[in-house]
Amino acid sequence: MKKMLLLVRWMVGLLFIFSGLIKVNDPIGLSYKMQEFFEVWNMHFLNDYALFFSIAMNSFEVLAGVAIIIGWRIKLFSWLLLLLIIFFTFLTGYAHYSGKIKTCGCFGDCLPLTAAQSFYKDLFLLVLILFLFGFKQYIKSAMSNAWAFTLVALTLVISTGAQFYVLKHLPWIDCLPYKVGNNILQKMEMPVGATLDSMQLVFEYQKEGKTIEFDQEHFPENFDDSYIFISRKDKLVKKGNGLKPAIVDFSLKTLGGVDTTQDVLTTKGKYVLVLAKDAAGMEDWESAVKKILSAISEKGIPIIIVSAEGSKMKNAFPNYTVLNCDATVLKTAARVKPTFMFMNGAKIEQKLSYINVTSVLPNF
């Protein structure tokens, strides 16, 4: 029994530590996933607290994993883990069976799981945690209380501090399509072997009190004014294989609404994209960014500022080209506001938080 308990403790502990650490790398990513749940449940008032919840959840997962492995305060943490995994299982089960949320963010963007995979993973963990909960009285701490408390406290400090670091400096590991080395144009291409959903336009009419449906190629031969239009809709004829480009919605537009994506990404040579989702909090970084832009301009390198609030950015940076881009795209491409992407054509050569740009300018 002791060996079995030890094995299960290590399995559960390592899974929680891994799950927590992979999200510690990108707490904003989990906060966006939380907001997706909030939107589905019409709990919009929680959106502003999503980042706080994300940081707290990630730190707790790592802390709980360590506590379970060393057997510290096992009664408390067996209860906490049981409640947590019941909650997680509810979330992933809802995502799986409702179909409203495709991925649950359990292992972040670095190891994306489908809603079904996340649900079955949580069921497996639920069984293991129930086993630990049922035999918690047989689990003894592997360390003295003082050393165990020190280790758990250190875990909490490091995991929380690491998240505040990446909020300013970008994730250490970039698992998103806009990472260094990627070619944006290539990532926008359809993968080899991809097949799209086949759709058919279906019309719905009423005639003599009966509802009649037909597609655009099979209008009734006696079609006339006696047919009363009800609706038209797209009907799925054949499901595609789900393959799609890694980047599907990257679009750059002038302030006048002209799409200039291809013109920008086919630019010869080096240039810089400065990505800022919106102008909120600009007073915290505007002065520093202006100095950086001035230094880049002195090198003769073109600069393009990209934002979902292009007009506001143009007012703040009137001497630079400003383009509009969808806010959701910028949330994915730039976890820190603003993020500098040093480009060569469509290839991302370097990607940095504005805080770290000055250190690389001499080599660019």
Side-chain angles (χ1 to χ4, degrees):
M1 178 62 71
K2 289 184 177 181
K3 291 183 177 180
M4 178 62 71
L5 281 172
L6 184 62
L7 175 63
V8 173
R9 279 165 54 194
W10 273 93
M11 290 176 64
V12 171
L14 288 176
L15 274 171
F16 271 93
I17 292 172
F18 176 74
S19 173
L21 286 178
I22 207 167
K23 295 194 292 284
V24 161
N25 176 66
D26 184 17
I28 290 182
L30 179 61
S31 73
Y32 291 155
K33 181 56 62 176
M34 288 182 172
Q35 289 175 348
E36 190 176 340
F37 277 96
F38 297 155
E39 292 295 326
V40 170
W41 293 337
N42 292 317
M43 301 172 67
H44 312 290
F45 64 95
L46 291 176
N47 283 339
D48 292 339
Y49 305 100
L51 184 57
F52 169 77
F53 293 150
S54 172
I55 293 172
M57 181 65 69
N58 297 337
S59 295
F60 177 75
E61 283 192 47
V62 180
L63 181 153
V66 171
I68 285 294
I69 288 175
I70 65 176
W72 184 68
R73 301 291 297 272
I74 195 66
K75 290 183 179 180
L76 172 63
F77 279 97
S78 61
W79 268 108
L80 291 176
L81 281 184
L82 180 59
L83 294 174
L84 185 64
I85 197 61
I86 290 173
F87 178 62
F88 281 171
T89 304
F90 163 74
L91 291 180
T92 55
Y94 174 84
H96 174 44
Y97 288 108
S98 72
K100 295 181 179 180
I101 297 174
K102 301 302 180 184
T103 61
C104 296
C106 299
F107 290 142
D109 292 297
C110 291
L111 188 60
L113 300 179
T114 65
Q117 291 170 333
S118 297
F119 178 57
Y120 296 132
K121 181 265 296 180
D122 285 343
L123 285 178
F124 172 70
L125 268 175
L126 177 60
V127 172
L128 295 182
I129 292 172
L130 282 172
F131 176 77
L132 291 178
F133 184 83
F135 294 96
K136 58 182 179 292
Q137 66 270 25
Y138 298 106
I139 300 175
K140 305 299 180 183
S141 178
M143 308 174 72
S144 68
N145 189 61
W147 277 107
F149 175 80
T150 301
L151 179 59
V152 170
L154 188 61
T155 299
L156 177 62
V157 170
I158 292 175
S159 58
T160 304
Q163 293 182 83
F164 281 105
Y165 178 87
V166 300
L167 289 176
K168 292 290 186 180
H169 299 270
L170 291 178
W172 288 289
I173 302 173
D174 191 346
C175 301
L176 298 167
Y178 301 91
K179 66 182 179 180
V180 173
N182 279 1
N183 184 299
I184 295 178
L185 283 177
Q186 291 178 359
K187 291 296 178 181
M188 293 169 69
E189 295 175 355
M190 188 66 70
V192 176
T195 58
L196 300 177
D197 291 347
S198 178
M199 308 298 293
Q200 185 179 59
L201 185 61
V202 175
F203 297 91
E204 187 176 9
Y205 279 81
Q206 189 178 69
K207 181 177 174 62
E208 297 177 355
K210 296 181 179 179
T211 300
I212 302 172
E213 286 189 356
F214 48 85
D215 62 42
Q216 54 192 349
E217 297 180 359
H218 298 88
F219 269 72
E221 294 182 0
N222 63 341
F223 187 81
D224 54 26
D225 293 341
S226 63
Y227 283 80
I228 302 173
F229 175 78
I230 299 177
S231 67
R232 66 178 182 179
K233 56 188 176 182
D234 289 322
K235 181 179 180 181
L236 180 64
V237 177
K238 183 179 180 181
K239 185 72 175 174
N241 59 12
L243 294 176
K244 61 181 181 179
I247 297 176
V248 296
D249 44 12
F250 185 80
S251 176
L252 302 175
K253 294 183 179 180
T254 66
L255 300 186
V258 178
D259 193 311
T260 187
T261 310
Q262 289 293 323
D263 292 338
V264 172
L265 296 180
T266 54
T267 298
K268 300 295 182 182
K270 299 188 178 186
Y271 59 98
V272 177
L273 295 179
V274 183
L275 311 181
K277 179 173 66 71
D278 52 46
M282 188 191 297
E283 62 275 6
D284 296 330
W285 48 263
E286 181 179 354
S287 178
V289 167
K290 283 182 176 179
K291 292 179 181 178
I292 296 171
L293 296 182
S294 178
I296 294 174
S297 295
E298 289 176 1
K299 293 177 176 289
I301 301 170
I303 297 169
I304 301 173
I305 299 174
V306 181
S307 176
E309 297 182 346
S311 297
K312 292 182 179 180
M313 289 297 166
K314 188 64 177 178
N315 290 334
F317 303 95
N319 299 325
Y320 301 97
T321 300
V322 177
L323 298 177
N324 276 317
C325 185
D326 181 73
T328 302
V329 173
L330 294 176
K331 284 165 62 174
T332 302
R335 292 302 204 214
V336 172
K337 184 176 62 177
T339 293
F340 281 65
M341 289 207 310
F342 294 83
M343 307 291 296
N344 192 343
K347 183 180 179 181
I348 304 170
E349 290 197 330
Q350 187 61 279
K351 181 177 175 182
L352 297 167
S353 163
Y354 75 97
I355 294 175
N356 305 111
V357 171
T358 305
S359 62
V360 305
L361 281 180
N363 300 321
F364 189 75

